[in-house]
Amino acid sequence: MPTSGGWPVLQKTAAKAVPVRAIFMLGPAFVAAIAYVDPGNVAANLTSGAKFGYLLVWVLVAANLMAMMVQYQSAKLGLVTGKSLPEMLGSRLRKPARRAFWLQAELAAMATDLAEVIGGAIALNLLFGLPLPVGGLIVGVLSMIMLTVQNRYGQRQFESVIVFLLAIITVGFLFGLLLSPPDPAEAVAGLLPRFDGAQSVLLAASMLGATVMPHAIYLHSALARDRHRPAGSAAPDNGRLRKLIKANRLDVIIALLIAGTVNIGMLLLAAATLRGAEGTDSIEGAHQAITSALGPAVGIVFGVGLLASGLASTSVGCYAGATIMSGLLSIRVPLLLRRLISLIPAILLLSLGVDPTWALVVSQVVLSFGIPFALIPLLRMTFSAEIMGEHRDGLPLRVLSVISAALIVLLNVALIVLTVTGAG
């Protein structure tokens, strides 16, 4: 029989009825899941569907399965050790290595924050015609208000706000499928792994970076720890710890199933509605095409979903950045101050007239290259009996995790080779 660290137990748990008490333990994974439905996902998924139809459906399915495993492992690390992944790394790395590691992690956090602010600005432009820099400032202010909720009222209230926004995102991005359902046969054919030239590899890397996001890997360990093992509390006994791990496993499955459905739904909508349409290589063009094909009501709902995505994900991204800095450098910057500082690059790019959709896709590629730096240390720790004790990952999960990490690295190497050689 696999231990609680085994993936088969995760699947079996998902099939059982949800215990009432477990429902009240849900929440941390929903915050982490926001990272999987941010505006970078919108840009990557819509561009993929518009350019290649159903070709890359398999990338999203595989990425979402990887995300479930990784987020479960991250949450388990925080529960078992009482420390976040950045704190574990900070205690093991020497000072120069710790600073270098923080720099690459910070770049990943900045890339995602850039995508989230730009996405929210695009949404305000689509809904109200606001200039992009003004929209970016409004998104920044609103995200500060959300972070104030976390500062003043605690994590549970922040989780409630995030779950509400996730519901809006889900409706906003899936509503169009009711009016323009995808072709079932082509969607199933899209599950066959394949590429079509260098551009499809670039988009695949972008979709992977937008789905298995490094800052969410760092953050989830802290979210689970803070929710169930707050500072000053006694370490749970093994019985209690096993229950917490099971509850968080369920939390991850439900949250990531929702996020994965939204991502796949976006690609299917673009494949069914936007393929071959003019100007669909941008979110603005895709929104216009969706509005023309399905009506203004669908366009408005899509815009609202995009706005909710930007607001929620930029707050979570800022939270993740603070967790990374605190764990690796032992420097605590107030969330609101960090929000203000990290807002500047996005506003500058918007003011300079950089194509926002292009910036979103490139930011997701940057994230894809940051994944191994978060994933490999996480796997080494959750594989370790010395660190995790009886809660170390079971053999099936260890094997699947190594395969996933290898696939991510290979995809990034292929991206470099194809880009340099100009293939495709």
Side-chain angles (χ1 to χ4, degrees):
M1 177 71 69
T3 67
S4 63
W7 185 247
V9 176
L10 192 158
Q11 292 176 317
K12 185 166 63 178
T13 302
K16 295 181 179 179
V18 180
V20 174
R21 284 184 297 177
I23 293 176
F24 296 100
M25 295 184 182
L26 305 183
F30 284 81
V31 177
I34 285 294
Y36 295 85
V37 288
D38 77 347
N41 293 82
V42 180
N45 296 334
L46 291 181
T47 302
S48 173
K51 287 185 175 297
F52 296 101
Y54 301 91
L55 178 73
L56 298 178
V57 170
W58 68 272
V59 175
L60 286 181
V61 173
N64 202 63
L65 291 174
M66 292 180 194
M68 282 188 182
M69 291 190 294
V70 170
Q71 295 304 143
Y72 164 64
Q73 290 166 303
S74 178
K76 186 170 68 168
L77 179 69
L79 291 172
V80 173
T81 65
K83 294 182 179 181
S84 68
L85 175 58
E87 286 173 338
M88 294 290 287
L89 287 166
S91 65
R92 283 163 169 74
L93 295 175
R94 295 186 177 182
K95 195 170 186 179
R98 190 167 67 246
R99 287 177 174 174
F101 198 96
W102 167 79
L103 181 60
Q104 65 78 28
E106 190 68 43
L107 288 174
M110 289 174 60
T112 192
D113 197 51
L114 177 71
E116 291 150 357
V117 173
I118 289 176
I122 293 173
L124 288 172
N125 176 263
L126 295 176
L127 291 170
F128 306 109
L130 294 177
L132 291 175
V134 174
L137 283 172
I138 292 174
V139 169
V141 170
L142 292 176
S143 66
M144 286 182 184
I145 294 173
M146 291 179 60
L147 290 170
T148 300
V149 171
Q150 194 276 339
N151 275 339
R152 179 169 298 182
Y153 300 107
Q155 186 173 328
R156 291 291 293 270
Q157 284 71 23
F158 183 68
E159 289 171 0
S160 298
V161 173
I162 293 298
V163 169
F164 173 72
L165 289 174
L166 180 59
I168 295 176
I169 293 166
T170 303
V171 173
F173 291 141
L174 297 184
F175 183 69
L177 287 175
L178 298 176
L179 301 179
S180 181
D183 183 297
E186 290 196 50
V188 171
L191 295 173
L192 177 66
R194 62 197 191 280
F195 294 108
D196 183 15
Q199 190 175 21
S200 68
V201 179
L202 173 65
L203 279 172
S206 180
M207 292 159 68
L208 184 65
T211 305
V212 186
M213 302 189 80
H215 77 284
I217 299 174
Y218 296 120
L219 176 63
H220 200 170
S221 55
L223 290 170
R225 184 270 317 272
D226 292 345
R227 172 71 178 275
H228 300 294
R229 293 188 60 172
S233 64
D237 58 38
N238 273 338
R240 169 68 175 168
L241 191 53
R242 281 192 291 270
K243 290 180 181 179
L244 289 175
I245 290 172
K246 288 181 180 179
N248 275 269
R249 191 161 55 216
L250 183 64
D251 191 22
V252 169
I253 292 173
I254 295 174
L256 269 296
L257 275 177
I258 294 172
T261 300
V262 172
N263 278 322
I264 294 170
M266 279 190 280
L267 188 149
L268 296 179
L269 178 64
T273 308
L274 307 180
R275 192 172 185 183
E278 292 291 331
T280 52
D281 54 349
S282 68
I283 291 181
E284 299 93 331
H287 175 265
Q288 184 176 357
I290 290 172
T291 302
S292 299
L294 304 178
V298 176
I300 291 173
V301 173
F302 178 87
V304 171
L306 180 61
L307 178 59
S309 170
L311 288 174
S313 55
T314 193
S315 301
V316 172
C318 189
Y319 196 166
T323 298
I324 292 167
M325 178 177 284
S326 174
L328 286 168
L329 301 184
S330 298
I331 297 175
R332 298 184 181 276
V333 176
L335 279 174
L336 296 182
L337 176 59
R338 182 181 176 87
R339 166 72 282 171
L340 185 61
I341 295 172
S342 62
L343 187 62
I344 295 173
I347 299 301
L348 284 176
L349 280 178
L350 291 172
S351 301
L352 292 172
V354 173
D355 177 51
T357 301
W358 177 85
L360 285 173
V361 173
V362 171
S363 72
Q364 304 312 297
V365 175
V366 172
L367 288 174
S368 183
F369 284 100
I371 295 169
F373 292 98
L375 182 56
I376 293 173
L378 174 67
L379 299 188
R380 291 187 62 183
M381 291 180 191
T382 58
F383 288 5
S384 170
E386 180 182 353
I387 294 174
M388 303 295 290
E390 67 177 82
H391 304 289
R392 67 176 294 200
D393 292 338
L395 180 60
L397 182 54
R398 295 202 300 271
V399 172
L400 290 172
S401 298
V402 170
I403 294 172
S404 297
L407 288 174
I408 291 170
V409 173
L410 286 174
L411 182 58
N412 286 330
V413 171
L415 172 62
I416 295 172
V417 172
L418 287 173
T419 301
V420 171
T421 61

